[in-house]
Structures are given as C-alpha cells and as structure tokens.
Coordinates of all heavy atoms in Angstrom, one line a residue:
A1 N 94.3 27.6 131.7 CA 95.1 26.5 131.3 C 96.2 26.3 132.3 O 96.8 27.3 132.8 CB 95.7 26.7 129.9
P2 N 96.5 25.0 132.7 CA 97.7 24.8 133.6 C 99.0 25.2 132.9 O 99.1 25.1 131.7 CB 97.6 23.3 133.8 CG 96.3 22.8 133.4 CD 95.8 23.8 132.4
F3 N 99.9 25.7 133.7 CA 101.2 26.1 133.2 C 102.0 25.0 132.5 O 102.7 25.3 131.5 CB 102.1 26.8 134.3 CG 101.7 28.2 134.6 CD1 100.8 28.5 135.6 CD2 102.2 29.2 133.8 CE1 100.5 29.8 135.9 CE2 101.9 30.6 134.1 CZ 101.0 30.9 135.1
D4 N 101.8 23.8 133.0 CA 102.6 22.7 132.3 C 102.0 22.3 131.0 O 102.7 21.6 130.2 CB 102.6 21.5 133.2 CG 101.3 20.9 133.5 OD1 100.2 21.4 133.0 OD2 101.2 19.9 134.3
Q5 N 100.9 22.9 130.6 CA 100.4 22.7 129.2 C 100.7 23.8 128.3 O 100.5 23.8 127.1 CB 98.8 22.5 129.3 CG 98.4 21.3 130.0 CD 96.9 21.1 129.9 OE1 96.2 21.8 129.2 NE2 96.3 20.3 130.8
L6 N 101.3 24.9 128.9 CA 101.7 26.1 128.1 C 103.2 26.1 127.9 O 103.7 26.6 126.8 CB 101.2 27.3 128.8 CG 99.7 27.5 129.0 CD1 99.5 28.7 129.9 CD2 99.0 27.7 127.7
S7 N 104.0 25.7 128.9 CA 105.4 25.8 128.8 C 106.1 24.8 129.6 O 105.6 24.3 130.6 CB 105.9 27.2 129.2 OG 107.3 27.4 129.2
L8 N 107.3 24.4 129.2 CA 108.2 23.4 130.0 C 109.0 24.2 130.9 O 109.8 23.6 131.7 CB 109.0 22.6 129.0 CG 108.3 21.7 128.1 CD1 109.3 21.0 127.1 CD2 107.5 20.7 128.8
T9 N 109.0 25.5 130.9 CA 109.8 26.3 131.8 C 109.0 27.3 132.6 O 107.8 27.4 132.3 CB 110.8 27.2 130.9 OG1 110.1 28.1 130.1 CG2 111.8 26.3 130.1
K10 N 109.6 27.9 133.6 CA 108.9 28.8 134.5 C 109.1 30.2 134.0 O 110.2 30.7 134.0 CB 109.3 28.6 135.9 CG 108.6 29.6 136.9 CD 108.8 29.2 138.3 CE 110.2 29.5 138.8 NZ 110.4 29.3 140.2
P11 N 108.1 30.9 133.6 CA 108.3 32.3 133.0 C 108.5 33.3 134.1 O 107.9 33.2 135.2 CB 106.9 32.6 132.3 CG 105.9 31.8 133.1 CD 106.7 30.5 133.5
R12 N 109.4 34.2 133.9 CA 109.6 35.4 134.8 C 108.8 36.6 134.3 O 108.4 37.4 135.2 CB 111.1 35.7 134.8 CG 111.9 34.8 135.6 CD 113.4 35.2 135.6 NE 114.1 34.9 134.3 CZ 115.4 34.8 134.2 NH1 116.1 34.9 135.3 NH2 115.9 34.6 133.1
K13 N 108.5 36.6 133.0 CA 107.8 37.8 132.5 C 106.9 37.3 131.3 O 107.4 36.6 130.5 CB 108.7 38.9 132.1 CG 108.1 40.2 131.7 CD 109.2 41.1 131.1 CE 110.2 41.5 132.1 NZ 111.2 42.5 131.6
L14 N 105.7 37.9 131.2 CA 104.9 37.6 130.0 C 104.7 38.9 129.2 O 104.7 40.0 129.8 CB 103.5 37.1 130.5 CG 103.4 35.8 131.2 CD1 101.9 35.4 131.5 CD2 104.1 34.7 130.4
R15 N 104.6 38.7 127.9 CA 104.2 39.9 127.0 C 102.8 39.7 126.6 O 102.4 38.7 126.1 CB 105.2 39.9 125.8 CG 104.9 41.1 124.9 CD 105.8 41.0 123.7 NE 105.7 42.2 122.9 CZ 106.3 42.3 121.7 NH1 107.1 41.4 121.2 NH2 106.1 43.4 121.0
V16 N 102.0 40.8 126.8 CA 100.6 40.8 126.5 C 100.4 41.8 125.4 O 100.6 43.0 125.5 CB 99.8 41.2 127.7 CG1 98.3 41.2 127.4 CG2 100.1 40.3 128.9
Q17 N 99.9 41.3 124.2 CA 99.5 42.1 123.1 C 98.1 41.9 122.7 O 97.6 40.8 122.8 CB 100.4 41.7 121.9 CG 101.9 41.9 122.1 CD 102.7 41.6 120.9 OE1 102.8 42.3 119.9 NE2 103.3 40.4 120.9
A18 N 97.4 42.9 122.3 CA 96.0 42.8 121.9 C 95.6 44.2 121.2 O 96.4 45.1 121.2 CB 95.1 42.6 123.1
W19 N 94.5 44.1 120.6 CA 93.8 45.4 120.1 C 92.6 45.7 121.0 O 91.8 44.8 121.2 CB 93.4 45.2 118.6 CG 94.6 45.2 117.7 CD1 95.4 44.1 117.3 CD2 95.2 46.4 117.1 NE1 96.4 44.6 116.5 CE2 96.3 45.9 116.4 CE3 94.9 47.7 117.1 CZ2 97.2 46.8 115.6 CZ3 95.7 48.6 116.4 CH2 96.8 48.1 115.7
V20 N 92.5 46.9 121.5 CA 91.5 47.3 122.4 C 90.7 48.5 121.8 O 91.3 49.4 121.2 CB 92.0 47.5 123.8 CG1 92.5 46.2 124.4 CG2 93.1 48.6 123.8
W21 N 89.4 48.5 122.1 CA 88.6 49.7 121.7 C 88.0 50.2 123.0 O 87.2 49.6 123.7 CB 87.5 49.2 120.8 CG 86.7 50.3 120.0 CD1 86.9 50.7 118.8 CD2 85.6 51.1 120.5 NE1 86.1 51.7 118.4 CE2 85.3 52.0 119.5 CE3 85.0 51.2 121.8 CZ2 84.2 52.9 119.6 CZ3 83.9 52.1 121.9 CH2 83.6 52.9 120.9
V22 N 88.6 51.4 123.4 CA 88.2 52.0 124.7 C 87.3 53.2 124.4 O 87.7 54.1 123.7 CB 89.5 52.4 125.5 CG1 89.1 53.0 126.8 CG2 90.4 51.2 125.7
P23 N 86.1 53.2 125.1 CA 85.2 54.3 124.7 C 85.6 55.6 125.3 O 85.3 56.7 124.6 CB 83.9 53.8 125.4 CG 84.3 52.9 126.5 CD 85.6 52.2 126.0
E24 N 86.2 55.7 126.5 CA 86.6 57.0 127.0 C 87.6 56.8 128.1 O 87.9 55.6 128.6 CB 85.4 57.7 127.7 CG 84.7 57.0 128.8 CD 83.5 56.1 128.3 OE1 82.8 56.5 127.4 OE2 83.4 55.0 128.9

C-alpha cells in the first residue's frame, strides 16, 4: 500500500505486533 493511503504524516517508527508459531 502507498504510504499516502495509510497516513497523512511521515512515520519515524512502526510498531509490529503479531502471533507467531516458530517450530525451532
């Protein structure tokens, strides 16, 4: 997605959250 469709401002930092299943 283009940034101008996500925010009207320029981000300095993003927060990434998720649930992950790691085998090893």
Side-chain angles (χ1 to χ4, degrees):
F3 278 95
D4 63 1
Q5 294 182 15
L6 298 170
S7 177
L8 297 176
T9 60
K10 181 168 70 172
R12 287 182 285 201
K13 185 188 299 182
L14 298 183
R15 183 181 183 186
V16 180
Q17 300 179 79
W19 287 89
V20 294
W21 196 98
V22 181
E24 61 268 323

